[in-house]
Amino acid sequence: MDKTFVKGLVLLEALAKHERGSGVTELANQLMLNKSNVHRLLQALVHQGFARKNDDTGRYELTMKLWELGSGLANRLDVRVEALSFMKELAEQTQETVHLSLLDGVEVLYIEKIDSPQPVRAYTTVGGRSPAQCVATGKALLAWASEDTLNLVKNRLKPYTPRSLVKFGDLRRELEQVREQGYAINRGEWREQVVGAAAPIYDSRGMVVAALGISGPAERLEEARLVQAGKTLMTAAAQISRRLGYSGR
């Protein structure tokens, strides 16, 4: 048996259990390994894309590569399974692109989508990513994210379009509004001519684990339609949340 390989797997499992990442010393103590050994193993994981170092905290955390490698098993993700039928209904009802997203660091990761039948539509790809603060599903997730995550976003604010939020105070106020109204809106902040709306999905613990959204061209989805879409998405997201065991409290 390759002991180094086994140690790497054990380290991978340890990182997976620490939501806010871990330092070299903490991991060394937990796994009863010396720090130089842990550091070498971490560098191997970083090099292969399985982990990354948070420059702000100095701690290591997993990326979503494990999920991406297992995308062929995506049907086992409860949230995707439970959301799919509602996504199909939304696509039929709105005639716009519908997507399901998770938060990975400061980005959203699209884990499922249904394309709009319209010739002019918003394009996303399963496995694709976007800066969370610039898209509706990202805002819906960030509104319930930890302070650590928000601080990471703060250091990465930049203008992708003239409508991008580049001041942390503006983003804070928008996220507070998302929490109050229950849905988020993107007004062309990632791609200038693409807008969208999204609502959070809760699991049985009451944690926001995903976001359900629609997107389309700004010329077709004016503000009033986005607000209506947000309310429609809230209803669908609530139904999915109940399927995941959320009690609503």
Side-chain angles (χ1 to χ4, degrees):
M1 183 182 296
D2 188 327
K3 293 183 179 180
T4 300
F5 179 71
V6 172
K7 289 177 182 177
L9 292 177
V10 171
L11 180 62
L12 201 63
E13 291 179 356
L15 282 173
K17 295 176 181 177
H18 292 269
E19 294 182 357
R20 297 187 178 183
S22 300
V24 174
T25 301
E26 181 182 2
L27 288 167
N29 292 336
Q30 179 184 345
L31 303 178
M32 293 184 290
L33 298 171
N34 61 61
K35 291 196 289 186
S36 61
N37 197 353
V38 169
H39 187 265
R40 283 196 301 271
L41 291 170
L42 285 169
Q43 294 311 303
L45 291 176
V46 170
H47 183 266
Q48 294 303 121
F50 288 96
R52 59 173 166 241
K53 185 177 182 181
N54 184 320
D55 291 332
D56 297 316
T57 64
R59 298 167 74 83
Y60 289 84
E61 57 190 19
L62 290 186
T63 67
M64 290 296 288
K65 186 172 181 179
L66 283 175
W67 179 87
E68 291 169 348
L69 288 177
S71 59
L73 301 176
N75 281 330
R76 294 186 183 180
L77 286 174
D78 289 343
V79 65
R80 178 186 175 277
V81 173
E82 300 299 344
L84 198 52
S85 63
F86 295 98
M87 292 177 70
K88 291 176 180 177
E89 290 179 14
L90 281 168
E92 179 68 26
Q93 180 180 350
T94 65
Q95 296 292 290
E96 301 294 352
T97 298
V98 181
H99 38 258
L100 183 68
S101 304
L102 305 178
L103 187 64
D104 179 29
V106 296
E107 298 178 314
V108 293
L109 176 66
Y110 299 105
I111 64 170
E112 186 56 90
K113 70 154 189 172
I114 298 176
D115 280 324
S116 165
Q118 309 266 18
V120 179
R121 60 183 184 265
Y123 289 91
T124 55
T125 58
V126 173
R129 297 169 180 268
S130 299
Q133 75 275 13
C134 293
V135 295
T137 53
K139 290 180 186 179
L141 291 161
L142 288 177
W144 281 269
S146 69
E147 283 298 318
D148 288 343
T149 297
L150 294 181
N151 286 330
L152 291 177
V153 173
K154 178 181 180 180
N155 296 328
R156 290 164 174 78
L157 293 176
K158 65 178 183 178
Y160 295 94
T161 78
R163 291 180 171 271
S164 299
L165 298 176
V166 294
K167 294 182 179 179
F168 190 57
D170 292 339
L171 178 61
R172 276 276 198 189
R173 284 188 287 274
E174 177 125 357
L175 296 181
E176 288 171 5
Q177 184 178 358
V178 172
R179 289 176 69 97
E180 290 175 5
Q181 66 191 17
Y183 62 89
I185 289 179
N186 158 30
R187 299 176 175 87
E189 298 150 54
W190 171 228
R191 297 289 183 254
E192 192 168 2
Q193 298 304 316
V194 178
V195 299
I201 295 172
Y202 299 83
D203 67 6
S204 59
R205 302 167 297 166
M207 304 291 290
V208 172
V209 292
L212 180 68
I214 69 163
S215 59
E219 62 185 18
R220 194 163 64 229
L221 287 171
E222 69 281 0
E223 185 75 12
R225 281 199 66 194
L226 287 175
V227 170
Q228 183 56 50
K231 295 175 181 178
T232 301
L233 286 160
M234 284 176 61
T235 299
Q239 292 174 307
I240 297 168
S241 298
R242 284 195 290 272
R243 294 279 189 91
L244 295 175
Y246 179 55
S247 66
R249 293 191 297 273

